[in-house]
Amino acid sequence: MPALALELEVARRIARQAGDILLQVYATDFSVTDKAGGAGPVTLADERANAFIVGELRKAFPGDGVVAEENEDASDAKRFERCWYVDPLDGTQEFVNRNGEFAIHIGLAVEGRAALGVVYRAVGDVLYSGVVGEQGYVEDPQGRRALRVSDVADPASLRLVVSRSHRSKTTDAVVKRLGITRETESGSVGLKCGLLAEARCDLYVHVSDKSYRWDNCAPEAVIRSAGGVLTDLAGVPYRYDGSELQNHRGLLACNAAAFDQVLPVASQVAREAGLLK
């Protein structure tokens, strides 16, 4: 049996069930409130899915820690060798805008490293899943396919996926310096990484500290299971050991072929933006 096969099966089931919870709220005239400190919008869907996923993970794996976006206590990350990172609704703004580009993230970190990830887009029934070191897959109504990033190495030929709701001037700087001419807009970190894992895009750069480990644990496992790379903007893999939760040094997701050429440019832009010293 492949490593983490049970964990992957359970995470896939929970993600699909949580997707039904999101769609139930999505079909209603739901209200939106703002999180304290300007941390973005939150809805009943975030809260219900969060409670369900956390409860199911604790039942299935009582010896594991769980860190979730809508839970205030994140101490499990420091106390457990295995810790699940949950974003019950990545892309709440997309949910509010009703464009379908939101996803559920369920990731497992082992000894501080991303090990397993499930990213589920409930609208359209698209599920990405992967275990680091093994072949990842995408499932949708057309069937099940192996994930594999592209092998495009020329920076100017890269297809960039950018945020639909949070496009920044720093992204423009990366685009200009690399000579990129092709872009795709998408909500959700997980869905952007899914496009890379399917070789429909080649690069995602987030030159901002406005993301957290639950945003990227599951996507990192998925993209790595497809042969890609996800690091901070200095090229350092993120740790999931509770030492920090906020991604202070941004995100860089790329195919392996272009990573070494993209990294110096992304790092320089990050330094100019004050994210890297």
Side-chain angles (χ1 to χ4, degrees), residues 19-167:
D20 290 339
I21 293 172
L22 296 187
L23 292 180
Q24 287 167 13
V25 178
Y26 198 55
T28 69
D29 185 19
F30 58 85
S31 61
V32 183
T33 57
D34 289 318
K35 292 183 182 180
V42 65
T43 70
L44 183 63
D46 299 73
E47 295 164 355
R48 283 184 178 172
N50 194 92
F52 173 78
I53 296 168
V54 171
E56 290 295 301
L57 287 172
R58 291 203 188 283
K59 276 194 295 186
F61 307 107
D64 293 355
V66 182
V67 171
E69 179 172 10
E70 306 307 330
N71 285 17
E72 291 185 9
D73 183 3
S75 62
D76 277 12
K78 292 183 177 180
R79 297 189 295 118
F80 291 87
E81 183 179 278
R82 297 187 1 148
C83 186
W84 295 86
Y85 281 79
V86 174
D87 191 338
L89 177 45
D90 185 59
T92 301
Q93 190 60 56
E94 318 307 328
F95 186 90
V96 171
N97 293 346
R98 296 185 184 275
N99 63 25
E101 293 179 352
F102 54 88
I104 292 162
H105 294 182
I106 302 178
L108 175 63
V110 179
E111 297 181 343
R113 300 292 188 188
L116 172 154
V118 169
V119 172
Y120 182 55
R121 176 175 173 160
V123 174
D125 186 23
V126 181
L127 188 144
Y128 299 97
S129 62
V131 173
V132 175
E134 298 182 14
Q135 177 63 60
Y137 294 91
V138 59
E139 297 166 70
D140 60 22
Q142 282 70 53
R144 180 175 186 256
R145 303 177 301 282
L147 293 171
R148 185 68 199 173
V149 296
S150 74
D151 56 4
V152 178
D154 174 24
S157 298
L158 296 175
R159 297 161 296 174
L160 178 74
V161 59
V162 297
S163 174
R164 188 176 296 282
S165 301
H166 308 287
R167 176 65 184 256

